[in-house]
Each structure stands twice: as structure tokens, then as C-alpha cells.
Amino acid sequence: MADITTILQQTQSPDATARVAAEAQLKTAQEANYDGFLTSLAGEIANEQKPAETRRLAGLILKNALDARDEGRKAELQARWLLVDANTRGQIKAAVWSMLGSTVSEIRHTCAQVIAKIAGAEIPKKQWPDLVQNLQNNVATGAAPGLKQATLEALGYICEEVEHEHLEEAEVNAMLTAVVQGMRKEEPDNEIRLAATVALANALFFAESNFERENERNYIMQVTCEATVCADVRVRQAAYEVLVGVAENHYDKLQPYMTAVFELTVKATKTDEEAVALQAIEFWSAVCEEEVERQEDMEEEGEGTTVVYHRFIEQALPMLVPMLLETLTKQDEDQVEDGEDAWNVAMAGGTCLGLVATCVKDAVVDHVMPFIQANITQSEWRMREAATFAFGSVLEGPDPDKLAPVASQALPFLLGAMKDAKPHVRDSTAWTIGRLFEHVGTANPPVVSPANLNEILKVLVEALQDRPHVAGKACWALQQLATSCCGEDDEDPMRTAMAPYFQGIVQALLAAAERQDSEQALRMECYESLNEIIRASTPDTYPTVQQLIPLVMQKLGATLDALVAPGAGAETKEKLGEVQGLLCGTLQTIVQKLSGGGDQAKMLVLQFGDNIMECLLRVLGSHAATVHEEAMLCVGALAYATGEQFDKYMTALYPFIEVGLKNHEEYEVCNVTVGVVGDLCRALDAKILPYCDGIVFQLLQDLQSTQLHRSVKPPILSCFGDLALAVGPAFEKYLAYIVPMLQSATALSMEADKNDEEMVDYNNLLRNGIFEAYAGLLQGFKDDKSKVQQLLQHAQHVLAFIEEVAKDKDRDEAVTRAMVGVMGDMADTMEEIGPLYLAKPFWRDLLRDCEDPEGDDDQLRETARWARSKIMQRTGGQ
């Protein structure tokens, strides 16, 4: 490889040819001699004579050699690093370590990041045992300020990279000792205090044992509270971020400090800079969220609960609510004029007030209403807007029936306030009206009824012509009116009352989406609202709904033509793609609504079936990933409506199915395509058989891919069940490939980390996919005993898996329903399975629990009774 400095310089060249060539050289060098490549990068970093820019670039490339956004890819890179010769790794680490004290701040910062990435790979394997202690020594031995700062940065980054269980308690203690030492008010260098405070925010999750020890806890809280009044605003902000972390991770231990913290947060929200005030408010939001979660835990545990619940918010209400109400008056003057949804002190205060209402429920009302009543008609717009925002913020939490009288009085006033001279007030008013519909609209007595519907719709439809921000909130209010105030039944009085206004609302929403000043946000809000209005429509409006089909297709056609027009740039194409996605979403909603409205309504769709499909195929051919996703969802809806007749479109559609299943980068497209294959199975039944070879092959490839996001894999397993159910015994030829995959998934499920909430959720999805696959196989083979016999040899494995899942308290209801269904299917289809059930009697208690008449899952109860009857038939009633 040529001189690495020259190559790194060329990667920044304004000449695209030189840049691409340099990048290719780096890639070739990495592939040809990985160890040597990394060593060269480390040498570049450590050479103070080299240009700072190439040294920084070398550090960035070295960091990226150990890191990736995708966790699977990151694990691969870490494993590859560990394969590098230990001596070579030692040289690289020594080179990077030596530059923590570089005279160039950027190099120090980059080296701190690289050290953390290496630690992420090595510490779990116990391969850098003295790292944390050496970092502490850097802080403790009076090192140069730059070295101290970079060391503390490295400690903070390590906390982001390494799981708690991979650090020994002595390492955590060393880490916290270094960090707290750097935070002390006696430290004269604010850069060091900042790095230490940021590191502590990252380290809090590791500090459980330290927070158990009162003297250590007191000292950590002391230096944190002292940092909240540091002269440097960045340190103050970081200190409040630490307090937020304490609320999230160590709520149990907060009580002795709450008075002091309250005083600090009040001062910060009143007088400090916005960045600090935002974090001070965030502390109270974090306490609210923690207490709401603990309320739920207490309710779940019932009497004798061991959950620690301090009632901080309830006790602080008389002082906390006034503090938050004051923040609401600190609006950003340009927020609505500029069309930006800024996150400022007023927004943060309103969000926190909403969380307070969720936490203490009815108790918040008496603390907020005097402020609302005193300010809602003030001549100063800030006070009017703050009062309106306060009312909207407390609508979720308190009992809707208790709020109903106040809301009924407020609604006419709010509708009038949509004519306020100040756009800020109109914006918050439209949002509050939507919140009122969402949370109090159907209270007793009802706040929204056919009697006041005309006035409501007149105001909101007119508001669609207001400034884009206000119009967007009016769209959302209309959406909430349709979703929250209209019942599911076509005979619902509010649905019936909405019907005469349907055409006018639709026209107004479509016009708002086409406004010259309509940006993506408003267009999206218009179409989302339109979709909900369509879903809430009644049969007498179906002809009008049908008329939307050619209109939407015409708009789609226009975007497709514009996409290939000469001179269409990247920005134009991106906007057109966004509009196409919205139009496909509305087309899907129309197809679903009409196809679910009975045979006569379904015919309104089928009349346009060929045109819709032709249009969707054009969209799929435009190769925009987001549009591909929306178009595929619409294809699935059309397949459901069309049934077996959809077969005529399959030749043209199949290439796009294949493209979607191969799209690992934009995994949501792959996920949607897997779902559409399931829709096609249900629509086509055996007619999907000619396409099974290609689909099954690609699904198997997807399962084995390390690049495809794991969230797509459970639906793939379910999809095997859909295919088996559709084609029946003809699916037998795939068993030799699919059953091992199911067994591998079963093994993966059994090894899942039960302490990782994200993994628990994923494991439930995985188990559901496994059970749905087996259910499809069993039901698909039911009429061919020879095929069922092939599955019988796997019955013991499946039943053993069900037994293990039955012991897991973290399984969700969907998994329980699916596994009980599989137990019934096995008994229903396998004549010789009786002895296996007799040998594994766990099913008796499981089904008894599922049949509990006190349970609220009627579907599970019925499935369990059916499964019991089938099992008893096979066990001779035993």
C-alpha cells in the first residue's frame, strides 16, 4: 500500500475521481492485510508529525473497524478484532493510549472513542483487565489537564459500550472514583468537570452497589448538585442530565435529596439558560414516568406489593404545578410564524404537566384550573396560549366523566378561539380540541354529540386554510373526532351524524394537501386524517368513497409521470416519492373499507381492480423503497378483496415480491413483503403453488442472513405456516429445509436473555412465529395422514418446547393462544400422540389456567376448551 497519509488526504479531495480511488485503496488494503492495515492506522494516529486531519481520519476508520449501527454487524467486527494477533492488538492499543495526552484536542477525543470501542470488544472477553484501573490512575496522579479530560471521556464512552455484567465491582468503583474526582467543585478546569459529569451520566446504570452505600451515594449527589451551579453552562446542563439518570435508575434512593433538588430545578427553570432549564424540567418528567410505571407494577402485584413508591409528584403538586405553569408562558415568538415545532421550555413544561396529570390523575385539576380561568381571556397572548396549552395538557389522566362538565363548557370557547388574532393561540387551541376529542369526547355526559357536530366541523374545516402549522393541528383534531368520538358500528349515532359532512370534509382535506405552502408534514397530516374519515364512513357514503379511487389513481399517475420528466432532480423525486406513499396509503384504506363492507361494497373495489393493480405495478417499478412498502401494503389489501381472482396479476407482481424479499438494507420493505406473501396465501390458496419454490428459497435465504434485521425473522416463520396452509400436502417437499430452521429458532428462544426487556419482547415474537409455522403445517397436512406422520417425529420436540414456554412468566397472550392452538392441532391431526400427552401432563394445569372463567380473553378460553377436548380424545379421556 502507498503512503497511508497521502491516501487519507486523497479521501478528502474535492476531485471525486481521486476520492473514490483513495477509498478503494483503503478498502483493498483492509481486505488484503487486515492486521497490517489497522497497525498503519494506529501508527498514523500516534505520529505527532503527521497532519491532524489524517490522524483524526485514521482514528475514525479504526473506530469504525470495531463498530456498526446494526448489532449483528458490530458483533462480527468485534469478533474479527479478537482474531488479530495479541501482540499486534497490544501495539495498536499502546499507540492509541499514548495519544490520550496528545497536544491536539481532536486527537485526544478520537482516541478516547477508539479505546472505548476496543474495550467493547475486549472487556467482555476479559482481555484488557487493567484498562479501567489505568484510566483511574490518569485522573488520580495529577496528569496534564488534556490527558485527564480525554481519560474521563474514554470512561464515559466505555459505559456506553460495555454491559454492566462484564465489569467487576472493583472496576466500577475505580471508574466512579475517577469520575467523581473530576467533578468536584475544587477542580479548576471546567473541561475536565464537563467530561467527568458526562461520564457519570453514562455510568449511573453501573452504580447500583454504590448507591446502596449511603456515604458513597451522598457524595455522588453532593458533587452532582454542586455541578448544577457551576459557572459553565455545559457543566450545569450535564449535571441535570445526571439527576435525570438518577431518577430513572435510582428512584428508590432519591427521597433524602428531593427538597434540595426541587429548589435547584425551580431556580434553573426561572433564571438559567434554556439548555439547563430543559434538563431541570426533564428531571420531573423522569420522576413522573418512573412513578407511573411503579403504579402499574403495584397494580399488577396487588396486595403485599414490594414496589417502592414515594409519591414525590403527589407531594410536590402545590409547588411543582405553579413552576410548570410559569414555564408555559416562555413561548418562542417565532415558533408558529416559522412553521417549526421547536422544543423549548414551554413545550417541555407542557409535556411534563401532561405527565403529572397521568401520574396523579384527578388531583391535578384543582391546581391547574385557577390558572386556566384567570388567563384564558387575557389580553396578553402569551397568557391566553399558556392557559389553553395547560388545559390540553391535563386532559389525559383525570377521570373523563369528572372532566366532562368543564370540557363541555370549554369546547364552545375553544371553537371561538380558533379565530384568535395570534397564530400561537390558534395552534394550541386546535391541538387542545383534538386532545379533548381523544380523551373526553365520549365521556358521560358526552362532550361531542350530533347536536354540536355542525359547529365543530365548520370551525375545523375552515382552519384547514389557516397557516400550515395550525391547519396540521386541525387535521389531527378531525382525525381524533373520527377515531375517538365515532363508534365501531355503522349505526353509531356519531358515525351517522358525520355522514352528511363526509364529502365536504374529504374535499377540504384534499385541497389542504394540495396547498402551495403545504410541506410534507401538512400533507401527511391531511392524508392521515382523510384515512380515518374514510374508516369512519357509513354505507350510504360508499359511492363517494368509490369516487375517490380514480381521483387517487389520477394523482398517483401524475406523480409517476413527473418522476420521469426531464429535469426532475433528486429533491423533486424525493418529494414525489413521499406523495406517492401517502396516496398508496389512502388507496389501501379505501380498498380495505369497501372490501370489508359486504359483497355489494366489495364490487365497488373490484370494478377498478385492474386499474388499481396497473397503477400499483407502476409505483413498484419506480424503485423508491418507502413507496415500495406502501404500495405492497395496498397490494395485500387488494389481494384480500379479490380472492382467488388475484391470480391473474401474479405473473406481473412476482418479480416485485422477489425484490422485496431480497431487500435486506431497507428491512421494513422486506418485512411488509413477507406480510403480503401471507395475504396472497389467504387470497389464492393452492393457486400460489407455482410461486412457492422461489418464495420459500428466498425466505430461507432471509433467515440465514446476518445482514437482515432480526425483527423480520419471526414473521418469516409465520409465513411458512401461511404457505403450508395454502398449498396443503404439496408443501411436504420443503419440510427438510424448514423444520431445521424451526428447531434452530426454538433453540435460540430457549437461550434468550430474560433480563433484557427488548429481548423478552423479541422472544415473544419469535415464539409466536414458531407456533404459527407449526399450526400452518399441521392444518395444511391434516387431510393426508402420510404427511402428518412426518410431523409426528417432531411432536416430542414441539411439546417439550411448549412445556418450557409454559413456565415462562414473560410470555405474552399471543404466544399463549398460539401454543395452546398448536397443542390442539397436534391432538387433532396426530392419531398416535396420546401417549406423548400422557407422559407430559403439564398441559392439564396450563389449559385449566387458560379456561379460567375470570379471565378476560374469550378467544383463549375457547381455544383451550377445544384443545382439551381434542387431547382427551387421544388420551382416552385421561
Side-chain angles (χ1 to χ4, degrees):
M1 183 174 73
D3 176 46
I4 193 166
T5 306
T6 305
I7 299 172
L8 289 169
Q9 287 173 327
Q10 287 297 305
T11 63
Q12 304 300 298
S13 169
D15 181 349
T17 305
R19 198 166 59 244
V20 170
E23 288 167 357
Q25 275 185 285
L26 288 175
K27 186 177 180 182
T28 302
Q30 183 171 357
E31 291 171 352
N33 183 357
Y34 182 72
D35 297 16
F37 177 68
L38 298 187
T39 304
S40 297
L41 292 173
E44 185 76 13
I45 297 166
N47 189 338
E48 295 271 29
Q49 305 306 311
K50 297 288 187 177
E53 181 58 23
T54 62
R55 295 171 68 201
R56 189 191 66 80
L57 269 174
L60 186 62
I61 295 167
L62 183 53
K63 176 178 80 74
N64 290 341
L66 287 133
D67 193 30
R69 287 184 182 177
D70 180 74
E71 287 300 319
R73 177 62 181 155
K74 183 173 181 176
E76 288 177 10
L77 293 172
Q78 289 176 332
R80 187 173 185 186
W81 164 262
L82 293 169
L83 291 174
V84 173
D85 174 71
N87 289 333
T88 303
R89 279 191 282 130
Q91 290 171 22
I92 293 169
K93 289 188 290 187
V96 177
W97 177 270
S98 69
M99 287 298 106
L100 273 181
S102 169
T103 55
V104 183
S105 62
E106 279 190 346
I107 302 305
R108 295 197 302 270
H109 175 74
T110 301
C111 288
Q113 291 180 308
V114 174
I115 284 170
K117 295 301 177 186
I118 295 173
E122 294 202 355
I123 285 180
K125 305 297 183 184
K126 307 294 183 189
Q127 292 200 21
W128 204 350
D130 57 351
L131 171 63
V132 174
Q133 188 59 58
N134 288 341
L135 288 167
Q136 189 212 335
N137 293 341
N138 278 356
V139 177
T141 55
L147 175 57
K148 268 191 182 180
Q149 179 201 4
T151 296
L152 290 163
E153 280 189 354
L155 285 168
Y157 293 139
I158 288 168
C159 292
E160 293 179 324
E161 291 296 322
V162 179
E163 295 295 334
H164 183 213
E165 62 267 22
H166 294 138
L167 285 174
E168 302 294 337
E169 187 170 350
E171 291 177 305
V172 175
N173 291 338
M175 187 180 290
L176 288 171
T177 300
V179 166
V180 172
Q181 183 178 345
M183 283 180 68
R184 293 177 310 153
K185 64 182 179 182
E186 292 80 10
E187 172 55 62
D189 190 326
N190 283 336
E191 296 297 332
I192 290 174
R193 286 190 81 182
L194 175 62
T197 309
V198 171
L200 180 58
N202 292 336
L204 282 171
F205 184 69
F206 297 80
E208 190 171 342
S209 297
N210 308 82
F211 265 77
E212 289 294 332
R213 295 188 281 271
E214 185 178 2
N215 60 331
E216 292 185 37
R217 181 173 72 242
N218 286 342
Y219 192 50
I220 292 170
M221 292 301 291
Q222 178 191 325
V223 296
T224 301
C225 289
E226 287 170 353
T228 65
V229 293
C230 175
D232 191 313
V233 63
R234 299 170 301 159
V235 176
R236 297 199 301 276
Q237 180 183 349
Y240 277 108
E241 287 173 8
V242 171
L243 290 177
V244 171
V246 172
E248 292 171 340
N249 293 290
H250 306 291
Y251 169 92
D252 298 9
K253 308 298 180 186
L254 259 178
Q255 194 159 30
Y257 316 104
M258 287 303 284
T259 301
V261 172
F262 180 79
E263 290 171 0
L264 289 167
T265 54
V266 168
K267 185 179 177 184
T269 56
K270 283 178 180 289
T271 62
D272 213 327
E273 294 188 36
E274 184 175 76
V276 181
L278 285 171
Q279 285 304 316
I281 296 166
E282 182 62 26
F283 169 79
W284 289 103
S285 293
V287 174
C288 283
E289 289 174 335
E290 186 66 31
E291 293 206 332
V292 168
E293 191 174 317
R294 285 167 183 261
Q295 288 170 7
E296 292 168 357
D297 292 342
M298 288 162 64
E299 189 177 338
E300 198 174 297
E301 287 188 18
E303 289 184 23
T305 179
T306 57
V307 175
V308 175
Y309 181 53
H310 291 305
R311 300 182 184 276
F312 289 139
I313 301 301
E314 188 180 314
Q315 292 169 18
L317 271 183
M319 298 164 289
L320 178 60
V321 170
M323 179 190 93
L324 294 173
L325 291 172
E326 186 178 337
T327 67
L328 302 189
T329 63
K330 297 182 178 181
Q331 304 94 327
D332 180 354
E333 180 80 43
D334 300 325
Q335 181 176 334
V336 176
E337 276 84 348
D338 293 346
E340 293 178 3
D341 236 338
W343 182 251
N344 51 37
V345 170
M347 290 292 289
T351 302
C352 187
L353 185 60
L355 289 167
V356 169
T358 304
C359 183
V360 301
K361 301 178 173 57
D362 294 347
V364 77
V365 177
D366 290 342
H367 293 278
V368 176
M369 287 312 299
F371 177 84
I372 296 170
Q373 290 160 348
N375 293 293
I376 197 79
T377 57
Q378 284 274 9
S379 58
E380 167 55 47
W381 74 265
R382 290 183 183 278
M383 304 311 292
R384 294 198 307 277
E385 194 274 340
T388 306
F389 191 13
F391 185 51
S393 297
V394 299
L395 288 171
E396 182 181 8
D399 182 345
D401 292 348
K402 289 183 181 176
L403 277 178
V406 177
S408 294
Q409 283 184 316
L411 183 56
F413 182 86
L414 290 168
L415 292 171
M418 288 300 294
K419 296 291 187 184
D420 193 283
K422 197 71 179 175
H424 292 72
V425 179
R426 299 198 301 276
D427 184 81
S428 291
T429 300
W431 174 78
T432 298
I433 290 170
R435 292 269 293 178
L436 189 149
F437 293 160
E438 183 180 14
H439 298 294
V440 197
T442 55
N444 187 20
V447 177
V448 179
S449 68
N452 59 4
L453 184 62
N454 182 62
E455 183 186 4
I456 290 168
L457 289 174
K458 183 175 183 294
V459 169
L460 292 179
V461 168
E462 280 183 13
L464 295 176
Q465 299 170 44
D466 206 326
R467 296 184 181 217
H469 241 225
V470 180
K473 299 292 196 308
C475 285
W476 183 73
L478 284 167
Q479 185 180 337
Q480 293 308 313
L481 180 66
T483 55
S484 302
C485 300
C486 296
E488 296 292 322
D489 197 318
D490 282 337
E491 303 303 316
D492 175 75
M494 278 297 295
R495 277 200 180 208
T496 305
M498 288 268 286
Y501 302 97
F502 177 79
Q503 188 164 356
I505 298 170
V506 168
Q507 288 173 343
L509 287 168
L510 288 171
E514 298 291 328
R515 285 170 48 161
Q516 289 298 310
D517 58 354
S518 176
E519 291 298 321
Q520 172 65 3
L522 177 56
R523 276 198 299 271
M524 184 176 292
E525 285 155 343
C526 286
Y527 279 103
E528 285 176 353
S529 183
L530 175 61
N531 293 346
E532 293 305 332
I533 296 293
I534 291 168
R535 289 187 183 107
S537 62
T538 52
D540 52 331
T541 63
Y542 286 173
T544 309
V545 175
Q546 186 202 34
Q547 289 170 18
L548 289 172
I549 296 175
L551 177 65
V552 171
M553 288 196 298
Q554 179 191 350
K555 289 178 179 294
L556 262 175
T559 64
L560 288 162
D561 292 340
L563 207 57
V564 295
E571 189 177 338
T572 300
K573 288 182 178 181
E574 186 179 344
K575 286 184 177 178
L576 288 168
E578 288 167 352
V579 174
Q580 284 177 6
L582 294 170
L583 290 167
C584 285
T586 296
L587 193 55
Q588 177 197 353
T589 302
I590 295 167
V591 171
Q592 287 174 328
K593 180 66 183 178
L594 294 178
S595 60
D599 291 342
Q600 198 170 351
K602 189 184 288 188
M603 284 306 299
L604 296 175
V605 174
L606 297 183
Q607 288 171 22
F608 288 96
D610 291 353
N611 305 91
I612 293 172
M613 197 61 203
E614 183 183 345
C615 193
L616 292 173
L617 289 169
R618 279 191 71 195
V619 173
L620 289 168
S622 69
H623 301 300
T626 50
V627 187
H628 194 136
E629 190 179 328
E630 296 294 338
M632 271 295 174
L633 287 168
C634 194
V635 166
L638 185 62
Y640 172 81
T642 312
E644 287 190 358
Q645 296 174 33
F646 194 84
D647 180 48
K648 62 184 175 180
Y649 306 126
M650 282 300 293
T651 302
L653 175 65
Y654 181 74
F656 298 110
I657 295 285
E658 206 165 61
V659 167
L661 293 178
K662 288 178 179 177
N663 194 341
H664 294 180
E665 269 187 43
E666 287 126 351
Y667 67 89
E668 285 296 345
V669 174
C670 186
N671 199 22
V672 165
T673 308
V674 171
V676 169
V677 170
D679 294 334
L680 294 171
C681 289
R682 288 179 281 278
L684 297 173
D685 287 327
K687 287 187 176 181
I688 201 168
L689 185 59
Y691 307 96
C692 272
D693 282 357
I695 290 172
V696 171
F697 173 78
Q698 193 53 53
L699 291 176
L700 289 168
Q701 294 290 106
D702 290 347
L703 279 179
Q704 294 173 76
S705 169
T706 56
Q707 304 300 316
L708 182 61
H709 196 277
R710 70 180 186 186
S711 64
V712 186
K713 298 189 178 183
I716 289 174
L717 300 178
S718 300
C719 192
F720 287 140
D722 293 331
L723 287 161
L725 193 57
V727 303
F731 199 74
E732 178 202 11
K733 66 178 181 176
Y734 307 116
L735 275 187
Y737 307 99
I738 288 169
V739 169
M741 288 290 183
L742 293 174
Q743 291 173 340
S744 295
T746 301
L748 181 64
S749 172
M750 299 301 290
E751 296 166 5
D753 182 359
K754 294 183 179 180
N755 296 315
D756 182 339
E757 283 186 32
E758 213 174 277
M759 197 62 207
V760 168
D761 292 340
Y762 177 72
N763 200 17
N764 276 320
L765 294 172
L766 185 62
R767 289 166 171 178
N768 199 51
I770 293 166
F771 290 133
E772 287 186 351
Y774 278 118
L777 289 167
L778 289 161
Q779 292 169 28
F781 290 1
K782 182 178 178 181
D783 296 330
D784 189 325
K785 290 183 180 179
S786 66
K787 305 295 187 291
V788 172
Q789 197 65 29
Q790 290 190 48
L791 291 175
L792 183 60
Q793 60 185 302
H794 305 293
Q796 187 168 353
H797 171 84
V798 176
L799 208 53
F801 179 52
I802 293 173
E803 184 174 14
E804 287 304 311
V805 175
K807 297 174 188 174
D808 186 357
K809 293 178 181 177
D810 289 325
R811 74 175 190 274
D812 62 22
E813 291 177 358
V815 170
T816 305
R817 279 195 299 271
M819 71 182 190
V820 168
V822 168
M823 289 168 67
D825 287 331
M826 288 168 70
D828 187 34
T829 57
M830 297 175 172
E831 295 177 359
E832 301 164 28
I833 202 170
L836 195 54
Y837 275 112
L838 288 173
K840 286 188 171 291
F842 76 91
W843 56 272
R844 300 181 193 276
D845 290 339
L846 173 62
L847 295 182
R848 189 181 302 113
D849 291 343
C850 296
E851 293 174 85
D852 183 0
E854 299 297 317
D856 55 5
D857 191 334
D858 293 336
Q859 183 186 348
L860 175 59
R861 191 180 300 112
E862 287 304 310
T863 304
R865 286 173 182 164
W866 169 78
R868 180 183 292 278
S869 69
K870 293 295 179 184
I871 294 170
M872 296 293 274
Q873 285 176 22
R874 299 302 186 198
T875 59
Q878 295 182 51

